[in-house]
Amino acid sequence: NIDNLVVRYLFSEKISAEYISMNLISKIIFFLVIGIAPLMFAELKKLKNQLPLYISIFIVIFLGTIFFLTINIFHKEISIIIFDNKYLDNTNIMIQLSLANIFFGILYFLILNKLAKKNYMNLIFMFISMIIYTYALFNIKSDLGGIANIVLTFSIIFVISMLLDFKLFNKILYKAK
């Protein structure tokens, strides 16, 4: 939610309210993920295989795709239904933000997996990315679409940072010596 704080700081009350409203709608997929995450985390800790992680990611991608397509086709209509005609100028940012929240949903499970496996190096790498993300948000001199693009870009970067396998990298590095 750093982006919400930055938008509130950089833009007028009306524009920031519009962004935060569109962002809230786009977070529905992420809220669904949070509901099933505790169940999968318990399974990840018990099993040695990655099946619960793969099932979780598949669920996020499947539900996220349906949600994303719905947002992509009906973003203006959804805004009208929920907010009346109050926020119609930037409804297209829901598309980028809903896609970003699919990545954030995947990221949530990847973080749980790294915690269950006690692999903390990825979290450090993601923290560094988070600092760059915050810097990029504060230094954007653009519109709400620019902010949404940064959120989408960094959601992908965060997922990649969790997919890196530092333990495997260390094994390869020490084998080479």
Side-chain angles (χ1 to χ4, degrees), residues 95-166:
I95 298 167
Q96 295 133 302
L97 294 174
S98 63
L99 189 56
N101 279 298
I102 293 169
F103 283 106
F104 284 131
I106 294 168
L107 177 66
Y108 193 79
F109 284 111
L110 291 173
I111 289 171
L112 290 178
N113 184 52
K114 295 298 179 181
L115 291 173
K117 305 291 184 222
K118 297 183 178 175
N119 188 351
Y120 305 114
M121 190 65 179
N122 295 78
L123 298 173
I124 293 168
F125 190 73
M126 193 181 91
F127 179 73
I128 293 167
S129 302
M130 208 49 164
I131 292 170
I132 298 168
Y133 169 62
T134 305
Y135 177 81
L137 283 173
F138 271 107
N139 288 296
I140 186 78
K141 302 293 185 228
S142 183
D143 57 356
L144 297 182
I147 297 278
N149 283 331
I150 288 174
V151 172
L152 176 57
T153 302
F154 274 89
S155 68
I156 296 167
I157 290 170
F158 295 150
V159 167
I160 291 169
S161 73
M162 283 296 119
L163 289 173
L164 296 175
D165 192 347
F166 288 105

Side-chain angles (χ1 to χ4, degrees), residues 1-5 7 16-31 67 83 90-91 93-94 96-98 100-101 104 133 147-148 151:
N1 286 330
I2 293 172
D3 56 322
N4 289 343
L5 296 173
V7 167
S16 61
E18 187 170 3
Y19 180 87
I20 292 167
S21 300
M22 298 303 120
N23 200 2
L24 183 63
I25 293 170
S26 70
K27 284 190 186 300
I28 291 171
I29 189 65
F30 185 74
F31 294 140
F67 182 73
F83 303 113
N90 290 296
T91 59
I93 64 171
M94 271 194 284
Q96 295 133 302
L97 294 174
S98 63
N101 279 298
F104 284 131
Y133 169 62
I147 297 278
V151 172

